[in-house]
Structure formats: C-alpha cells, structure tokens
Amino acid sequence: MLGMKELVQKQSKTDGQKRGKIPDVAALFGFLVALIILFSVTSPYFFQWDNFTNILVALAVTGIACVPCTFLMIGGQVDLSVGSSAAVSGMIAAKFVGHHGIIVGVGCAMLFGLVLGLINGFLVTVIGVNSLITTLGGLATLYGIALLIGNGQTLGVQKFDTLGTAQPLGIPLPVIIFVTLSIIGIIVLRQTVYGRSLYAIGSNPNAARVVGIRTRKILFLTFIASGLSSALAGLILCSQLSQGDPNAAKGLELQVITAIVLGGASLAGGRGSMLGTILGLLVIGVLNNGLNLLDVQPFWQNVAQGLMLIIAVSFDQVRQKLNQQRG
C-alpha cells in the first residue's frame, strides 16, 4: 500500500508539472514579454525601475492571497472569500490598533483569519459543503460584517504604516513578503509530500483516499492557510491606506482566480504551479499598469481581467476535451 501511495504522489507531481508548467508557462511567458515590448514602445515611462517597482507593489497583496489559493485549486477547491476576509481583517486592525496598540490589532486580525480558515475547512471537509458555495456565502457575509464594523465608513489608523510602506534594503516590504511566500510555495509543491498529495487529491480524490492520503486533513490545513494569508493581505492594505476600508479589497477574489487560471491551473484540480500563478499575476499587473500609462479608462481594466479569465477557462475546457479524446 505504501508503494502505491508513493507511486500516486510521484505521478501526480509529474502530471502537475508536465501539464501545467511546460506548455502553459511557456505560452504565458511569451505573452508577458509581448506585453512588456508593447507598452515599452507605446509609453516612455513603462520601462523604468520605479515603474516595475510600482507593478510589484500593486501585485503584492494579490500575490500573498494567491499562494494558498493556488494550493486549493490544485487540490480541486476554491476560496472566493479572500477579498471579503481581507476587508474584515483591515477593519479589525484599524479598530483595535487605535485603542489597544499594534500588537493587539495585528493579533486580532490574524486570529480572525485563522478562525475563518477553520470554519471554511470544517464546512468543506467535515460537513461536505461545496467549497464554491461555502466561500461564496462567506464573500457576501464578510463584506456585510466589514461594513458593520465601521458603520459603512472607513476607520482611520495612525502609526501603522510600516507593514505596507517600509522599504528594507530599498525593496518594499510587501514585495519581500510576497516573494518569500512564493518561494516557500514553490518548494512546498515541488519537494514535499504535502504538495504532491495536493496534486493527487485534485487529480482523483477517491483514489488518493484509497491509497492512504489524508485528503480531509490536507485540505483543511490549506483552507486555514488561505484564511491567514487573506488576513495578512488585509493588514497590508490597511497599513498602505492608513485606514480600514470595507471596499479596499473588493474584487480581490477575481484577480486571484484569474491569475491562478491564467497560470495553467485547472478548476477541476490536479494541475497548476506557483511559477504559473506568478506569471499570471505579472500579466495582470503589466496589463493594468500599461493601460494606466496610456490613460485608458480604469473600467477597461476590469473588462480586460474578465476577458482573460473567460479565455483562460475556455482554453482549459478545450484542452481537457482534447486530452479525453486522445485518452
């Protein structure tokens, strides 16, 4: 039985890397290079170090939420509550930092993220509620809670700008956090039993369970990680804005899913990579930044993101059908 388990884990890792990394990442990288060339030619301000730094800072919050969400999608799950969770975390931090200090405010916000991850994990893995329904309900509920905390208003906070604006060694702290978590994510998916188990669970949860993989425990822990990362994202937003804003993270879940699917992950599970997700994030960031520099109206960015998500999902469905026909 142990030999079979190792075989499934090894095969899941190979399949995830072969189907997700090689063709998808190569095509996405080419598209990213094309965007960089296009905007470098059309805008004199694009190909500058300061502008690239701005792109990374803008992507850092989304990227932090993307790391465990990539894990979840590889495992065949989804978390749509990351944006609303970040909003509530920011509001909690703003409310408590002003009255009880930074440590209490940050601790309460992260505790909220932990509790949310526990609730989502319990509902999905123990009760058996579909993750889409669970987190979609959480999205609506948590945005309501964020509005209730501040009575529909923003909450100002002072002396809480270090997390969002500090630049150790000249590199913005949110970017350092994002890069660190991404490296950890790459190592976990490629080198650990936990990461290989996620591929196996996403490919065939019943088979993974039969060979001894503790699917519920692994997914439960991943939901907890998602709750904590979304709380961290909310804290960074609160620090950058110097206020808790219930609408600050609105649409974050769409950006996260778009980046992950663009990176080659499948909504059906079993495929994806952190490298692909990072490239997906860069495509979104470069596109938004380039459109801003060209003075394109902001709502076209939402149109572009929506179209990219539709195209990526459609391409994934076509690829699955072709694979089934070949099989």
Side-chain angles (χ1 to χ4, degrees), residues 250-251 254-255 288 291 297-308:
K250 210 155 194 176
L254 175 62
Q255 296 176 12
N288 289 342
L291 292 177
Q297 293 177 317
F299 58 77
W300 280 109
Q301 296 178 18
N302 295 329
V303 173
Q305 286 187 31
L307 289 176
M308 283 193 297

Side-chain angles (χ1 to χ4, degrees), residues 5-284:
K5 176 180 177 180
E6 294 174 347
L7 179 62
V8 170
Q9 292 174 336
K10 181 178 180 180
Q11 183 63 40
S12 63
K13 178 184 178 183
T14 302
D15 289 345
Q17 292 178 340
K18 184 183 296 183
R19 292 181 297 174
K21 178 181 175 182
I22 299 177
D24 300 331
V25 171
L28 195 61
F29 181 76
F31 183 58
L32 176 62
V33 171
L35 283 178
I36 292 174
I37 294 174
L38 172 65
F39 291 128
S40 297
V41 172
T42 55
S43 173
Y45 307 105
F46 179 81
F47 204 82
Q48 296 181 7
W49 174 252
D50 288 343
N51 188 54
F52 288 147
T53 301
N54 291 335
I55 293 175
L56 292 177
V57 171
L59 290 178
V61 170
T62 306
I64 289 169
C66 273
V67 176
C69 284
T70 300
F71 290 9
L72 282 173
M73 195 168 292
I74 290 172
Q77 307 295 323
V78 66
D79 187 354
L80 296 178
S81 66
V82 291
S84 55
S85 173
V88 174
S89 300
M91 295 297 289
I92 290 175
K95 196 170 187 69
F96 281 90
V97 166
H99 295 88
H100 304 285
I102 293 177
I103 295 178
V104 174
V106 171
C108 289
M110 293 303 294
L111 179 61
F112 162 76
L114 174 63
V115 172
L116 177 64
L118 288 169
I119 293 173
N120 284 340
F122 178 80
L123 290 174
V124 174
T125 63
V126 179
I127 303 299
V129 184
N130 183 276
S131 63
L132 177 65
I133 302 301
T134 298
T135 57
L136 184 61
L139 183 153
T141 302
L142 292 173
Y143 270 128
I145 293 175
L147 291 169
L148 287 171
I149 292 174
N151 292 320
Q153 305 296 320
T154 60
L155 297 176
V157 59
Q158 297 180 348
K159 299 180 180 179
F160 186 56
D161 57 348
T162 301
L163 182 62
T165 61
Q167 296 191 17
L169 302 177
I171 304 174
L173 183 56
V175 175
I176 294 176
I177 295 173
F178 164 53
V179 172
T180 301
L181 291 178
S182 296
I183 292 173
I184 293 173
I186 291 172
I187 294 173
V188 167
L189 286 178
R190 291 184 175 182
Q191 305 295 333
T192 68
V193 173
Y194 168 79
R196 294 193 291 270
S197 296
L198 282 171
Y199 283 107
I201 293 169
S203 298
N204 193 328
N206 292 328
R209 193 177 302 111
V210 167
V211 298
I213 297 177
R214 302 179 66 179
T215 58
R216 291 184 178 181
K217 178 181 179 181
I218 290 173
L219 293 177
F220 191 89
L221 292 174
T222 311
F223 273 108
I224 292 176
S226 182
L228 290 172
S229 70
S230 61
L232 177 58
L235 285 170
I236 293 175
L237 282 174
C238 179
S239 178
Q240 290 174 335
L241 299 173
S242 294
Q243 64 180 13
D245 185 348
N247 296 309
K250 210 155 194 176
L252 178 63
E253 58 281 335
L254 175 62
Q255 296 176 12
V256 168
I257 292 176
T258 302
I260 296 172
V261 174
L262 276 176
S266 172
L267 293 174
R271 189 176 69 243
S273 69
M274 274 310 306
L275 179 58
T277 296
I278 293 169
L279 286 176
L281 276 168
L282 290 174
V283 166
I284 294 173

